Amino acid sequence: MNEFSYPILAVVFVGMGLYMRREGARLQDRVERSVTWPTVKGEITRSEVVRSSRGGKRGLEPRVEFAYTVDDRRWEAKTPVLGIWLWSGDGRAICERYPLGATVDVTYDPMDPSVAFLERGRTDPRIMQGLAAAAFVAAGVFLVLAARFFLG
């Protein structure tokens, strides 16, 4: 690595940590607010599993889409689970819960009806906070290494 690599990596990791912390807080806030959101009937318009790879993990990922009407306007969404949802690698279970054409309860944000979901996921802000903390620790390590490199 050259002399600029460590400080640049430290800045990148701090930025990642700040981003993950902000996104985790935003997601947690949305899940907490969603408890009071209204619900309407909707219909599953797509329910299938597709071959996918995430983080080197191959499996069958669910693709579930649904339509619903709020104030005489039709909306479409594809977030079956709101919150932190750990994909197991086999999306068949969620597609079985939401088969094509099924009538479902859709929970939507009254301030922005385009935001909707079918069920709440496990919400544990510690996951995002842990990732943010790891990014900050990595940045600290890079800064220490950079200081040792520059200061001898």
Side-chain angles (χ1 to χ4, degrees):
M1 290 191 159
N2 66 34
E3 61 191 56
F4 299 108
S5 298
Y6 293 117
I8 290 171
L9 285 173
V11 168
V12 167
F13 277 96
V14 166
M16 287 173 35
L18 291 172
Y19 173 78
M20 286 186 280
R21 189 168 164 88
R22 187 191 83 211
E23 287 302 303
R26 187 181 66 80
L27 179 61
Q28 182 65 24
D29 178 62
R30 179 176 279 175
V31 171
E32 288 173 2
R33 285 185 297 114
S34 73
V35 173
T36 62
W37 291 355
T39 301
V40 296
K41 292 294 181 189
E43 180 182 356
I44 300 296
T45 58
R46 179 181 182 190
S47 181
E48 63 184 349
V49 292
V50 295
R51 294 196 184 284
S52 179
S53 177
R54 285 191 183 187
K57 182 178 182 181
R58 293 178 184 223
L60 300 173
E61 184 174 358
R63 297 282 166 89
V64 176
E65 297 176 11
F66 49 96
Y68 55 101
T69 302
V70 175
D71 295 330
D72 295 325
R73 180 171 175 194
R74 180 182 164 95
W75 297 89
E76 295 180 358
K78 46 183 144 183
T79 306
V81 182
L82 179 68
I84 296 172
W85 174 48
L86 302 175
W87 177 55
S88 68
D90 186 354
R92 289 179 285 209
I94 197 161
C95 288
E96 287 171 4
R97 284 200 305 274
Y98 302 111
L100 182 64
T103 299
V104 291
D105 290 327
V106 177
T107 302
Y108 69 93
D109 183 346
M111 302 303 281
D112 181 4
S114 68
V115 176
F117 63 93
L118 303 177
E119 63 185 69
R120 282 179 196 81
R122 294 182 303 274
T123 58
D124 188 349
R126 293 174 295 184
I127 292 173
M128 290 302 257
Q129 290 171 352
L131 291 173
F136 282 119
V137 167
V141 168
F142 283 118
L143 287 174
V144 167
L145 291 173
R148 289 188 72 189
F149 179 78
F150 287 119
L151 301 175

XYZ file of all heavy atoms in Angstrom, residues 16-114:
797
model
N -18.750 4.571 5.624
C -19.627 3.398 5.639
C -20.306 3.249 6.994
O -21.497 2.942 7.072
C -18.816 2.130 5.331
C -18.407 2.004 3.890
S -17.272 0.610 3.538
C -17.786 -0.652 4.623
N -19.558 3.471 8.046
C -20.132 3.358 9.388
C -21.242 4.370 9.611
O -22.309 4.036 10.137
N -20.993 5.617 9.190
C -22.021 6.658 9.349
C -23.254 6.335 8.513
O -24.390 6.508 8.968
C -21.451 8.020 8.958
C -20.395 8.586 9.897
C -19.771 9.840 9.298
C -20.987 8.868 11.275
N -23.047 5.859 7.289
C -24.170 5.500 6.426
C -24.990 4.365 7.035
O -26.222 4.439 7.102
C -23.661 5.113 5.042
C -24.740 4.572 4.146
C -25.634 5.433 3.512
C -24.892 3.203 3.948
C -26.635 4.941 2.703
C -25.889 2.710 3.144
C -26.762 3.572 2.520
O -27.766 3.080 1.727
N -24.324 3.303 7.491
C -25.051 2.162 8.064
C -25.788 2.561 9.333
O -26.905 2.112 9.583
C -24.094 1.005 8.328
C -23.677 0.297 7.058
S -22.691 -1.160 7.362
C -21.102 -0.427 7.659
N -25.188 3.416 10.119
C -25.848 3.867 11.343
C -27.109 4.675 11.004
O -28.159 4.489 11.599
C -24.874 4.694 12.166
C -25.360 5.029 13.517
C -24.204 5.594 14.335
N -24.702 6.273 15.491
C -24.939 5.688 16.640
N -24.709 4.413 16.783
N -25.407 6.372 17.654
N -27.004 5.562 10.019
C -28.156 6.373 9.608
C -29.260 5.499 9.023
O -30.441 5.642 9.353
C -27.727 7.424 8.597
C -28.878 8.397 8.271
C -28.595 9.268 7.103
N -28.920 8.475 5.922
C -28.326 8.587 4.765
N -27.351 9.426 4.598
N -28.675 7.846 3.742
N -28.899 4.558 8.141
C -29.896 3.694 7.521
C -30.560 2.778 8.543
O -31.757 2.528 8.473
C -29.273 2.873 6.390
C -28.971 3.695 5.168
C -30.195 4.378 4.599
O -31.183 3.688 4.278
O -30.177 5.616 4.496
N -29.785 2.280 9.484
C -30.355 1.440 10.541
C -31.358 2.215 11.382
O -32.442 1.719 11.707
N -31.026 3.456 11.725
C -31.938 4.294 12.510
C -33.194 4.624 11.706
O -34.312 4.610 12.230
C -31.229 5.575 12.947
N -33.028 4.891 10.411
C -34.175 5.210 9.547
C -35.107 4.009 9.436
O -36.322 4.138 9.545
C -33.672 5.634 8.165
C -34.752 6.145 7.234
C -34.176 6.516 5.885
N -33.670 5.367 5.166
C -34.415 4.508 4.483
N -35.719 4.652 4.441
N -33.872 3.488 3.847
N -34.535 2.827 9.241
C -35.336 1.619 9.141
C -36.058 1.329 10.452
O -37.255 1.021 10.460
C -34.460 0.429 8.754
C -35.161 -0.915 8.643
C -36.235 -0.888 7.568
C -34.138 -1.999 8.362
N -35.367 1.444 11.550
C -35.979 1.207 12.857
C -37.128 2.177 13.104
O -38.188 1.793 13.578
C -34.935 1.318 13.976
C -35.489 1.047 15.355
C -35.966 -0.389 15.524
O -35.525 -1.287 14.823
N -36.854 -0.604 16.457
N -36.925 3.447 12.745
C -37.975 4.450 12.908
C -39.195 4.096 12.068
O -40.332 4.172 12.533
C -37.440 5.832 12.527
C -38.499 6.903 12.637
O -39.005 7.125 13.759
O -38.834 7.520 11.598
N -38.973 3.678 10.832
C -40.088 3.316 9.947
C -40.865 2.129 10.501
O -42.088 2.116 10.506
C -39.577 3.006 8.553
C -40.698 2.598 7.604
C -40.209 2.397 6.218
N -40.108 3.695 5.575
C -39.605 3.893 4.367
N -39.133 2.883 3.687
N -39.568 5.097 3.852
N -40.154 1.118 10.995
C -40.827 -0.061 11.548
C -41.638 0.325 12.779
O -42.777 -0.117 12.950
C -39.808 -1.183 11.863
C -40.463 -2.309 12.640
C -39.204 -1.717 10.575
N -41.071 1.162 13.646
C -41.807 1.584 14.842
C -43.043 2.393 14.481
O -44.111 2.211 15.061
C -40.884 2.385 15.761
C -39.848 1.523 16.457
C -38.817 2.325 17.240
O -38.915 3.587 17.280
O -37.907 1.704 17.795
N -42.940 3.293 13.504
C -44.090 4.091 13.079
C -45.151 3.236 12.394
O -46.342 3.529 12.456
C -43.654 5.211 12.133
C -42.965 6.360 12.827
C -42.645 7.522 11.885
N -41.707 7.129 10.834
C -41.997 7.080 9.532
N -43.190 7.400 9.101
N -41.091 6.717 8.650
N -44.729 2.148 11.735
C -45.663 1.338 10.954
C -46.708 0.633 11.807
O -47.728 0.184 11.282
C -44.895 0.300 10.121
O -44.388 -0.730 10.941
N -46.489 0.561 13.100
C -47.461 -0.095 13.992
C -48.815 0.613 13.925
O -49.857 -0.016 14.080
C -46.917 -0.131 15.437
C -47.952 -0.640 16.402
C -45.659 -0.992 15.491
N -48.816 1.914 13.656
C -50.066 2.683 13.619
C -50.584 2.915 12.197
O -51.595 3.578 12.020
C -49.872 4.046 14.306
O -48.888 4.805 13.588
C -49.445 3.880 15.749
N -49.903 2.405 11.187
C -50.331 2.629 9.814
C -51.605 1.849 9.500
O -51.842 0.772 10.038
C -49.251 2.198 8.836
C -48.024 3.058 8.837
C -47.818 4.210 9.535
C -46.827 2.812 8.111
N -46.563 4.687 9.282
C -45.930 3.853 8.411
C -46.418 1.807 7.248
C -44.668 3.926 7.852
C -45.157 1.882 6.692
C -44.294 2.931 6.990
N -52.425 2.381 8.602
C -53.658 1.679 8.222
C -53.382 0.474 7.321
O -52.298 0.337 6.751
C -54.455 2.747 7.471
C -53.448 3.746 7.021
C -52.303 3.694 7.991
N -54.396 -0.354 7.200
C -54.314 -1.563 6.386
C -55.474 -1.588 5.406
O -56.591 -1.193 5.748
C -54.379 -2.808 7.299
O -53.296 -2.746 8.220
C -54.261 -4.090 6.509
N -55.193 -2.027 4.181
C -56.221 -2.206 3.153
C -56.037 -3.588 2.543
O -54.999 -4.216 2.707
C -56.146 -1.130 2.040
C -56.434 0.250 2.595
C -54.808 -1.168 1.324
N -57.050 -4.037 1.835
C -56.946 -5.310 1.125
C -56.165 -5.091 -0.171
O -56.290 -4.056 -0.825
C -58.327 -5.887 0.795
C -59.095 -6.324 2.019
C -58.419 -7.500 2.681
C -59.197 -7.955 3.895
N -58.467 -8.935 4.673
N -55.372 -6.079 -0.506
C -54.608 -6.037 -1.741
C -54.580 -7.408 -2.374
O -55.178 -8.359 -1.859
N -53.871 -7.511 -3.495
C -53.790 -8.776 -4.215
C -52.348 -9.038 -4.635
O -51.647 -8.130 -5.088
C -54.676 -8.733 -5.452
C -54.639 -10.008 -6.253
C -55.491 -9.937 -7.512
O -56.175 -8.934 -7.738
O -55.448 -10.921 -8.271
N -51.921 -10.267 -4.495
C -50.588 -10.667 -4.929
C -50.578 -10.726 -6.453
O -51.381 -11.437 -7.059
C -50.182 -12.033 -4.337
C -50.184 -11.985 -2.808
C -48.813 -12.474 -4.870
C -49.186 -11.042 -2.187
N -49.677 -9.957 -7.087
C -49.600 -9.902 -8.548
C -48.388 -10.665 -9.097
O -48.301 -10.915 -10.295
C -49.541 -8.448 -9.030
O -48.412 -7.799 -8.429
C -50.828 -7.710 -8.671
N -47.459 -11.010 -8.229
C -46.300 -11.823 -8.620
C -45.831 -12.582 -7.393
O -45.706 -12.010 -6.316
C -45.170 -10.947 -9.145
C -43.934 -11.725 -9.554
C -42.838 -10.805 -10.045
N -41.678 -11.578 -10.480
C -40.521 -11.041 -10.781
N -40.368 -9.727 -10.733
N -39.511 -11.791 -11.146
N -45.576 -13.843 -7.570
C -45.063 -14.667 -6.482
C -44.281 -15.809 -7.093
O -44.851 -16.772 -7.597
C -46.212 -15.204 -5.623
O -45.694 -15.989 -4.564
N -42.966 -15.661 -7.073
C -42.114 -16.689 -7.643
C -40.744 -16.644 -6.993
O -40.369 -15.643 -6.384
C -41.975 -16.515 -9.152
C -41.307 -15.213 -9.559
C -41.263 -15.011 -11.066
O -41.556 -15.969 -11.809
O -40.941 -13.907 -11.496
N -40.046 -17.726 -7.093
C -38.670 -17.759 -6.610
C -37.744 -17.724 -7.815
O -38.054 -18.279 -8.866
C -38.377 -18.995 -5.724
C -39.114 -18.910 -4.420
C -38.718 -20.275 -6.440
N -36.642 -17.009 -7.655
C -35.654 -16.905 -8.725
C -34.292 -17.275 -8.163
O -34.010 -17.047 -6.985
C -35.628 -15.485 -9.343
C -36.935 -15.174 -10.034
C -35.327 -14.439 -8.308
N -33.478 -17.863 -9.008
C -32.121 -18.180 -8.573
C -31.365 -16.881 -8.340
O -31.450 -15.953 -9.136
C -31.408 -19.022 -9.614
C -32.033 -20.379 -9.765
C -31.107 -21.335 -10.492
N -31.730 -22.605 -10.715
C -31.912 -23.530 -9.793
N -31.500 -23.318 -8.571
N -32.496 -24.675 -10.078
N -30.652 -16.836 -7.228
C -29.985 -15.607 -6.858
C -28.709 -15.914 -6.095
O -28.505 -17.025 -5.606
C -30.934 -14.775 -5.991
O -30.310 -13.583 -5.604
N -27.876 -14.909 -5.985
C -26.649 -15.024 -5.206
C -26.432 -13.715 -4.465
O -26.423 -12.645 -5.066
C -25.469 -15.307 -6.133
O -24.274 -15.362 -5.395
N -26.299 -13.813 -3.150
C -26.028 -12.634 -2.313
C -24.857 -12.955 -1.411
O -24.900 -13.916 -0.657
C -27.231 -12.284 -1.450
C -28.348 -11.639 -2.193
C -29.342 -11.092 -1.204
N -30.466 -10.528 -1.914
C -31.431 -9.867 -1.347
N -31.432 -9.710 -0.043
N -32.415 -9.374 -2.042
N -23.846 -12.141 -1.493
C -22.698 -12.343 -0.624
C -22.076 -13.717 -0.779
O -21.615 -14.299 0.183
N -22.115 -14.233 -1.996
C -21.556 -15.551 -2.238
C -22.485 -16.694 -1.872
O -22.158 -17.858 -2.040
N -23.665 -16.375 -1.357
C -24.628 -17.397 -0.969
C -25.651 -17.549 -2.093
O -26.342 -16.598 -2.439
C -25.319 -16.979 0.340
C -26.300 -17.978 0.859
C -26.898 -17.488 2.174
C -27.852 -18.491 2.741
N -28.448 -18.030 3.986
N -25.727 -18.748 -2.646
C -26.684 -19.003 -3.719
C -27.953 -19.599 -3.138
O -27.916 -20.305 -2.145
C -26.086 -19.956 -4.738
C -24.940 -19.360 -5.477
C -24.359 -20.350 -6.436
N -23.190 -19.740 -7.044
C -22.922 -19.823 -8.322
N -23.698 -20.502 -9.121
N -21.853 -19.241 -8.807
N -29.037 -19.304 -3.795
C -30.297 -19.865 -3.331
C -31.453 -19.419 -4.185
O -31.281 -18.942 -5.300
N -32.632 -19.577 -3.648
C -33.857 -19.186 -4.319
C -34.431 -17.978 -3.589
O -34.851 -18.081 -2.446
C -34.842 -20.358 -4.304
C -34.357 -21.630 -4.997
C -35.334 -22.769 -4.762
C -34.161 -21.387 -6.485
N -34.444 -16.852 -4.257
C -34.910 -15.611 -3.643
C -36.372 -15.368 -4.005
O -36.761 -15.534 -5.161
C -34.053 -14.442 -4.136
C -34.400 -13.133 -3.489
C -33.441 -12.032 -3.889
O -32.496 -12.284 -4.639
O -33.660 -10.904 -3.442
N -37.180 -14.968 -3.024
C -38.593 -14.708 -3.334
C -38.760 -13.372 -4.052
O -38.104 -12.394 -3.717
C -39.253 -14.670 -1.959
C -38.172 -14.226 -1.041
C -36.899 -14.794 -1.604
N -39.637 -13.364 -5.024
C -40.050 -12.125 -5.687
C -41.566 -12.046 -5.508
O -42.309 -12.756 -6.174
C -39.693 -12.135 -7.162
C -38.214 -12.213 -7.430
C -37.539 -10.849 -7.220
N -36.102 -10.954 -7.160
C -35.288 -10.883 -8.193
N -35.778 -10.703 -9.394
N -33.993 -10.986 -8.028
N -41.976 -11.221 -4.585
C -43.398 -11.063 -4.288
C -43.767 -9.614 -4.538
O -43.146 -8.701 -4.000
C -43.711 -11.458 -2.823
C -45.167 -11.189 -2.502
C -43.364 -12.915 -2.582
N -44.776 -9.415 -5.379
C -45.289 -8.081 -5.657
C -46.785 -8.089 -5.401
O -47.444 -9.115 -5.528
C -44.988 -7.689 -7.100
C -43.494 -7.618 -7.378
C -43.162 -7.324 -8.835
O -44.083 -6.969 -9.612
O -41.980 -7.472 -9.193
N -47.307 -6.922 -5.014
C -48.725 -6.842 -4.703
C -49.262 -5.477 -5.088
O -48.520 -4.506 -5.231
C -48.973 -7.131 -3.219
C -48.081 -6.349 -2.276
C -48.529 -5.169 -1.696
C -46.809 -6.791 -1.969
C -47.715 -4.454 -0.828
C -45.983 -6.093 -1.098
C -46.444 -4.908 -0.528
N -50.567 -5.440 -5.301
C -51.256 -4.202 -5.669
C -52.335 -3.928 -4.629
O -52.902 -4.850 -4.039
C -51.885 -4.339 -7.052
N -52.599 -2.645 -4.416
C -53.590 -2.221 -3.424
C -54.092 -0.837 -3.819
O -53.482 -0.154 -4.646
C -52.972 -2.208 -2.016
C -51.719 -1.375 -1.919
C -51.750 -0.084 -1.377
C -50.502 -1.857 -2.383
C -50.597 0.676 -1.304
C -49.352 -1.107 -2.303
C -49.399 0.170 -1.762
O -48.261 0.929 -1.697
N -55.214 -0.454 -3.263
C -55.819 0.833 -3.611
C -55.969 1.689 -2.364
O -56.480 1.224 -1.337
C -57.202 0.628 -4.261
O -57.030 -0.200 -5.424
C -57.829 1.947 -4.656
N -55.510 2.935 -2.471
C -55.652 3.917 -1.399
C -56.219 5.185 -2.027
O -55.657 5.709 -2.995
C -54.295 4.224 -0.720
C -54.447 5.338 0.302
C -53.712 2.974 -0.084
N -57.339 5.657 -1.505
C -58.000 6.864 -2.020
C -58.203 6.799 -3.536
O -57.869 7.725 -4.269
C -57.198 8.116 -1.647
C -57.149 8.342 -0.152
O -58.104 7.953 0.545
O -56.132 8.898 0.330
N -58.757 5.692 -3.996
C -59.093 5.471 -5.402
C -57.882 5.468 -6.338
O -58.027 5.627 -7.544
C -60.110 6.510 -5.897
C -61.442 6.375 -5.181
O -61.826 5.224 -4.872
O -62.086 7.409 -4.941
N -56.696 5.323 -5.785
C -55.490 5.218 -6.618
C -54.844 3.849 -6.391
O -54.666 3.431 -5.253
C -54.495 6.326 -6.284
C -53.256 6.239 -7.137
C -52.352 7.406 -6.997
N -51.137 7.157 -7.767
C -50.044 7.854 -7.644
N -49.996 8.862 -6.799
N -48.976 7.558 -8.354
N -54.521 3.206 -7.482
C -53.879 1.878 -7.414
C -52.376 2.058 -7.205
O -51.731 2.848 -7.882
C -54.147 1.096 -8.682
C -53.516 -0.277 -8.700
C -53.813 -0.958 -10.041
N -52.963 -2.086 -10.278
C -53.277 -3.340 -10.001
N -54.461 -3.605 -9.465
N -52.446 -4.326 -10.268
N -51.856 1.304 -6.253
C -50.427 1.315 -5.946
C -49.884 -0.095 -6.120
O -50.623 -1.066 -5.971
C -50.179 1.768 -4.510
C -50.620 3.161 -4.234
C -51.855 3.564 -3.808
C -49.844 4.343 -4.367
N -51.894 4.919 -3.663
C -50.670 5.427 -3.998
C -48.538 4.601 -4.748
C -50.217 6.748 -4.002
C -48.082 5.907 -4.750
C -48.931 6.960 -4.383
N -48.600 -0.193 -6.402
C -47.935 -1.479 -6.475
C -46.678 -1.423 -5.629
O -46.011 -0.392 -5.559
C -47.587 -1.825 -7.922
C -48.819 -2.009 -8.776
C -48.498 -2.344 -10.213
O -47.304 -2.395 -10.579
O -49.448 -2.561 -10.976
N -46.362 -2.514 -4.973
C -45.173 -2.575 -4.120
C -44.572 -3.964 -4.181
O -45.210 -4.919 -4.623
C -45.542 -2.209 -2.679
N -43.337 -4.071 -3.716
C -42.665 -5.370 -3.698
C -41.830 -5.556 -2.434
O -40.734 -6.076 -2.477
C -41.832 -5.579 -4.953
C -40.965 -4.437 -5.367
C -40.256 -4.777 -6.666
C -40.126 -3.568 -7.542
N -39.512 -3.851 -8.811
N -42.381 -5.112 -1.317
C -41.732 -5.301 -0.026
C -42.624 -6.197 0.829
O -43.471 -5.702 1.553
C -41.503 -3.951 0.688
O -40.797 -3.087 -0.178
C -40.727 -4.143 1.979
N -42.450 -7.507 0.734
C -43.320 -8.359 1.542
C -43.035 -8.230 3.033
O -43.939 -8.329 3.844
C -43.027 -9.773 1.037
C -41.711 -9.681 0.358
C -41.558 -8.274 -0.121
N -41.766 -7.962 3.381
C -41.390 -7.887 4.792
C -40.696 -6.556 5.049
O -39.699 -6.234 4.406
C -40.449 -9.046 5.187
C -40.105 -8.983 6.664
C -41.083 -10.388 4.841
N -41.223 -5.779 6.002
C -40.613 -4.507 6.378
C -39.717 -4.734 7.580
O -40.113 -5.350 8.560
C -41.685 -3.476 6.735
C -41.154 -2.113 7.173
C -40.488 -1.400 6.000
C -42.281 -1.263 7.726
N -38.526 -4.220 7.522
C -37.591 -4.378 8.628
C -36.442 -5.264 8.222
O -36.255 -5.574 7.051
N -35.679 -5.676 9.188
C -34.540 -6.525 8.901
C -35.051 -7.936 8.680
O -35.658 -8.538 9.551
C -33.518 -6.468 10.045
C -32.970 -5.045 10.134
C -32.405 -7.476 9.823
C -32.095 -4.806 11.328
N -34.816 -8.415 7.500
C -35.270 -9.735 7.106
C -34.065 -10.493 6.598
O -33.441 -10.117 5.617
C -36.333 -9.623 6.027
C -36.767 -10.908 5.446
C -37.123 -12.037 6.121
C -36.899 -11.215 4.059
N -37.476 -13.018 5.239
C -37.348 -12.538 3.968
C -36.697 -10.501 2.902
C -37.584 -13.156 2.751
C -36.936 -11.114 1.704
C -37.388 -12.426 1.633
N -33.697 -11.522 7.282
C -32.532 -12.292 6.904
C -32.958 -13.381 5.930
O -33.642 -14.325 6.301
C -31.856 -12.880 8.149
C -31.420 -11.838 9.166
C -30.878 -12.522 10.407
C -30.395 -10.891 8.577
N -32.549 -13.219 4.695
C -32.901 -14.144 3.626
C -32.217 -15.478 3.886
O -31.010 -15.561 4.085
C -32.463 -13.547 2.305
C -32.696 -14.397 1.114
C -33.875 -14.946 0.719
C -31.719 -14.789 0.155
N -33.702 -15.643 -0.437
C -32.382 -15.562 -0.808
C -30.377 -14.557 0.015
C -31.730 -16.105 -1.897
C -29.742 -15.096 -1.071
C -30.413 -15.865 -2.017
N -32.991 -16.540 3.906
C -32.469 -17.858 4.270
C -31.816 -18.582 3.104
O -31.152 -19.585 3.298
C -33.597 -18.726 4.821
O -34.504 -19.036 3.773
N -32.006 -18.084 1.898
C -31.477 -18.791 0.740
C -32.525 -19.652 0.062
O -32.291 -20.210 -0.996
N -33.697 -19.785 0.674
C -34.788 -20.552 0.091
C -36.061 -19.725 0.202
O -36.683 -19.657 1.256
C -34.950 -21.896 0.803
C -35.989 -22.777 0.128
O -36.666 -22.305 -0.810
O -36.129 -23.933 0.539
N -36.427 -19.078 -0.891
C -37.577 -18.183 -0.883
C -38.915 -18.854 -1.049
O -39.949 -18.193 -1.112
N -38.913 -20.183 -1.098
C -40.188 -20.869 -1.321
C -41.181 -20.635 -0.189
O -42.376 -20.512 -0.425
C -39.954 -22.362 -1.518
C -39.285 -22.671 -2.854
C -39.050 -24.130 -3.009
N -37.909 -24.489 -2.163
C -37.086 -25.483 -2.420
N -37.283 -26.231 -3.476
N -36.074 -25.756 -1.617
N -40.699 -20.533 1.045
C -41.616 -20.382 2.185
C -42.429 -19.097 2.083
O -43.641 -19.102 2.309
C -40.845 -20.411 3.503
N -41.782 -18.001 1.734
C -42.532 -16.736 1.653
C -43.471 -16.749 0.450
O -44.584 -16.223 0.525
C -41.600 -15.508 1.659
C -42.417 -14.268 1.997
C -40.872 -15.336 0.365
C -41.610 -13.111 2.483
N -43.067 -17.368 -0.637
C -43.962 -17.456 -1.798
C -45.157 -18.357 -1.507
O -46.246 -18.119 -2.019
C -43.197 -17.936 -3.026
S -42.085 -16.671 -3.680
N -44.968 -19.361 -0.672
C -46.097 -20.205 -0.270
C -47.075 -19.420 0.599
O -48.284 -19.635 0.530
C -45.595 -21.441 0.470
C -44.936 -22.453 -0.438
C -44.243 -23.583 0.316
O -44.337 -23.637 1.567
O -43.597 -24.406 -0.347
N -46.560 -18.495 1.422
C -47.452 -17.660 2.252
C -48.229 -16.658 1.404
O -49.311 -16.225 1.779
C -46.643 -16.899 3.315
C -46.205 -17.746 4.459
C -45.846 -16.935 5.697
N -44.863 -15.894 5.543
C -43.532 -16.063 5.626
N -43.038 -17.265 5.829
N -42.723 -15.040 5.510
N -47.646 -16.269 0.273
C -48.256 -15.252 -0.582
C -48.355 -15.754 -2.021
O -47.647 -15.281 -2.913
C -47.444 -13.954 -0.514
C -47.335 -13.427 0.889
C -46.125 -13.442 1.567
C -48.454 -12.933 1.558
C -46.021 -12.967 2.868
C -48.358 -12.462 2.854
C -47.139 -12.486 3.496
O -47.052 -12.029 4.785
N -49.277 -16.686 -2.301
C -49.412 -17.217 -3.668
C -50.045 -16.191 -4.611
O -50.787 -15.288 -4.184
C -50.325 -18.428 -3.481
C -51.108 -18.140 -2.246
C -50.202 -17.330 -1.364
N -49.743 -16.331 -5.878
C -50.265 -15.451 -6.911
C -51.796 -15.396 -6.840
O -52.459 -16.429 -6.741
C -49.826 -15.953 -8.289
C -50.252 -15.105 -9.485
C -49.596 -13.726 -9.408
C -49.862 -15.804 -10.775
N -52.343 -14.184 -6.852
C -53.789 -13.988 -6.837
C -54.413 -13.939 -5.457
O -55.600 -13.628 -5.324
N -53.641 -14.228 -4.415
C -54.200 -14.242 -3.058
C -54.572 -12.831 -2.608
O -53.924 -11.843 -2.960
C -53.189 -14.844 -2.075
N -55.635 -12.740 -1.824
C -56.016 -11.483 -1.194
C -55.233 -11.361 0.103
O -55.178 -12.299 0.891
C -57.530 -11.452 -0.906
O -58.221 -11.579 -2.157
C -57.938 -10.158 -0.234
N -54.609 -10.204 0.311
C -53.739 -10.006 1.474
C -54.056 -8.679 2.152
O -54.663 -7.787 1.558
C -52.249 -10.010 1.062
C -51.811 -11.386 0.615
C -51.971 -8.979 -0.016
N -53.654 -8.573 3.402
C -53.724 -7.303 4.122
C -52.432 -6.544 3.853
O -51.337 -7.049 4.119
C -53.878 -7.531 5.625
C -55.236 -8.093 5.986
O -56.222 -7.744 5.299
O -55.318 -8.885 6.944
N -52.569 -5.346 3.326
C -51.422 -4.504 3.005
C -51.395 -3.334 3.978
O -52.369 -2.594 4.110
C -51.513 -3.960 1.562
C -50.348 -3.033 1.258
C -51.587 -5.106 0.566
N -50.293 -3.184 4.670
C -50.104 -2.052 5.570
C -49.318 -0.996 4.798
O -48.310 -1.309 4.168
C -49.330 -2.484 6.825
O -50.057 -3.538 7.470
C -49.158 -1.334 7.794
N -49.794 0.262 4.836
C -49.138 1.317 4.058
C -48.944 2.570 4.907
O -49.646 2.802 5.883
C -49.944 1.640 2.796
C -51.263 2.311 3.075
C -51.381 3.697 3.078
C -52.394 1.562 3.358
C -52.592 4.312 3.351
C -53.606 2.172 3.632
C -53.695 3.548 3.626
O -54.888 4.161 3.914
N -47.982 3.363 4.487
C -47.672 4.622 5.153
C -48.692 5.670 4.707
O -48.760 5.997 3.523
C -46.254 5.062 4.769
C -45.799 6.334 5.472
O -46.642 7.053 6.056
O -44.586 6.610 5.430
N -49.495 6.210 5.620
C -50.514 7.183 5.214
C -49.916 8.479 4.659
O -50.570 9.181 3.892
C -51.300 7.441 6.505
C -50.378 7.051 7.603
C -49.511 5.958 7.056
N -48.674 8.780 5.000
C -48.011 9.975 4.468
C -47.413 9.724 3.083
O -47.159 10.652 2.333
C -46.903 10.440 5.424
C -47.396 10.743 6.831
S -48.708 11.974 6.868
C -47.742 13.445 6.681
N -47.167 8.458 2.757
C -46.602 8.073 1.470
C -47.107 6.676 1.124
O -46.446 5.684 1.409
C -45.067 8.083 1.545
C -44.423 7.716 0.211
O -45.140 7.525 -0.794
O -43.177 7.605 0.182
N -48.293 6.577 0.509
C -48.896 5.270 0.233
C -48.068 4.349 -0.663
O -48.362 3.163 -0.758
C -50.230 5.613 -0.430
C -50.536 6.991 0.033
C -49.195 7.669 0.167
N -47.021 4.870 -1.293
C -46.168 3.996 -2.103
C -45.322 3.077 -1.232
O -44.792 2.080 -1.701
C -45.254 4.827 -3.015
O -44.293 5.537 -2.248
